[in-house]
Amino acid sequence: MYYDPIKKSLGEVFNRTPLLRRLFYHLLDLLLLRTWHVHRELRQWAQGRTDEALNVLDAGSGYGQYTYWLSGLSRRWTILAVDVKDEQVADSNRFFRQIGRTNAQFAVQDLVLYQQPNTFDLALSVDVMEHILEDVEVFRNIHASLKDGGMLLISTPSDQGGSDVHADGETSFIEEHVRDGYNIHEIQQKLRTAGFERIEARYSYGEPGQVSWRLSMKYPILLLGYSRWFFLLLPFYYLLTFPFCLILNWFDTNRRHESGTGLIVKAWK
């Protein structure tokens, strides 16, 4: 299934007013399990740093929800959010101007080519690397763009069923993916090749998370892919499934997993 047309349709609905876009961000924060894991790591990183003037790179910003969340943690941080989609970048810049978030800016950039040496204290890449074939080049660019001691945080599917691929011959649930998922040792080796020395990697989307993902994301996306009229039924669908997804997300975020369909990776320069 191609995910971009569905994302575009959702964007058209929630970009109509700043209030709707804020609501959209809050819904994504609650529903998307990867957001729970990413926010957990970002809170740890942010401890004791909110009064510092720091530079953050949101590498592959998408809708801009992580830039929105980070820009609210500290007005002293300067956030550059880059993406290859002109329309999303323009929409995000317009929204952030409307709400007065002057510490964040969006720009059109290709991560395979983009490099800003020794600039950023933190780089964030959430569900991006599975879309980019030249991943080592991107890791090298981010490594060069980080200051000494800077951290890269990655969320991406694993090879343990990421992209809903569980056996040879199966194809990714999201057809824009160029790889189904990373082996946990593979991504660490690629980061070392790019220059990172200290690396930590763990699984996300264990058993609770996989159930939550199907309920909160896969089934609604399949319905929307079949017909956009199902958008009218989504509030009733989530009214039934939302409480279960919250419980499952909490368990997944607060437990260590021997295996999982997602990876959370941290690497320091």
Side-chain angles (χ1 to χ4, degrees):
M1 171 174 292
Y2 286 98
Y3 190 28
D4 280 348
I6 297 172
K7 288 173 64 177
K8 184 177 180 180
S9 297
L10 289 173
E12 289 172 354
V13 172
F14 288 102
N15 282 340
R16 292 176 180 176
T17 69
L19 179 62
L20 279 176
R21 185 145 181 164
R22 286 180 191 263
L23 173 63
F24 184 46
Y25 284 167
H26 288 305
L27 290 174
L28 291 177
D29 288 349
L30 288 171
L31 284 173
L32 294 181
L33 175 56
R34 61 177 174 266
T35 303
W36 288 54
H37 284 279
V38 170
H39 282 185
R40 183 172 182 259
E41 299 295 342
L42 290 175
R43 288 190 190 97
Q44 292 179 2
W45 179 86
Q47 288 180 0
R49 291 186 167 100
T50 54
D51 292 329
E52 300 178 32
L54 302 177
N55 294 320
V56 179
L57 174 66
D58 187 352
S61 54
Y63 287 125
Q65 69 266 33
Y66 295 102
T67 293
Y68 175 80
W69 192 82
L70 282 165
S71 65
L73 285 184
S74 174
R75 292 302 178 100
R76 290 182 56 79
W77 296 352
T78 299
I79 304 166
L80 175 63
V82 301
D83 201 279
V84 294
K85 294 184 173 64
D86 303 57
E87 185 178 354
Q88 285 191 342
V89 166
D91 287 342
S92 295
N93 274 324
R94 187 182 309 111
F95 167 70
F96 274 70
R97 287 195 300 268
Q98 288 173 331
I99 65 172
R101 291 278 178 98
T102 58
N103 60 332
Q105 181 180 357
F106 291 77
V108 177
Q109 293 288 349
D110 183 347
L111 293 175
V112 178
L113 304 173
Y114 177 74
Q115 189 180 115
Q116 193 72 31
N118 301 310
T119 300
F120 301 102
D121 301 279
L122 171 71
L124 176 69
S125 176
V126 180
D127 281 11
V128 173
M129 299 313 303
E130 62 272 21
H131 296 271
I132 301 176
L133 188 61
E134 305 93 337
D135 51 355
V136 176
E137 286 86 343
V138 174
F139 293 152
R140 285 198 179 103
N141 288 337
I142 293 177
H143 180 270
S145 299
L146 287 171
K147 299 176 184 177
D148 289 341
M151 186 183 84
L152 167 62
L153 173 62
I154 301 168
S155 171
T156 192
S158 81
D159 65 349
Q160 305 297 304
S163 305
D164 210 28
V165 175
H166 303 278
D168 293 340
E170 292 187 359
T171 58
S172 172
F173 172 65
I174 305 298
E175 294 185 58
E176 290 94 346
H177 289 183
V178 299
R179 61 179 56 84
D180 298 328
Y182 282 99
N183 179 276
I184 194 169
H185 303 296
E186 170 202 7
I187 193 170
Q188 292 181 81
Q189 184 56 50
K190 287 187 173 185
L191 287 164
R192 290 189 189 97
T193 300
F196 291 95
E197 295 182 359
R198 180 187 166 199
I199 303 164
E200 296 178 6
R202 63 176 177 84
Y203 287 107
S204 59
Y205 286 79
E207 291 182 2
Q210 292 170 43
V211 175
S212 175
W213 177 77
R214 288 183 175 87
L215 288 174
S216 65
M217 292 301 298
K218 181 179 180 179
Y219 299 150
I221 289 173
L222 287 173
L223 291 173
L224 288 172
Y226 180 74
S227 172
R228 294 183 183 181
W229 286 105
F230 280 105
F231 188 83
L232 300 175
L233 300 178
L234 282 183
F236 304 100
Y237 173 85
Y238 280 121
L239 187 64
L240 295 174
T241 60
F242 184 65
F244 299 103
C245 293
L246 289 181
I247 294 170
L248 292 166
N249 286 356
W250 186 90
F251 274 108
D252 198 85
T253 309
N254 289 278
R255 289 174 56 186
R256 301 290 292 187
H257 305 288
E258 293 297 322
S259 180
T261 60
L263 288 172
I264 298 293
V265 185
K266 296 184 288 185
W268 288 265
K269 181 173 179 178

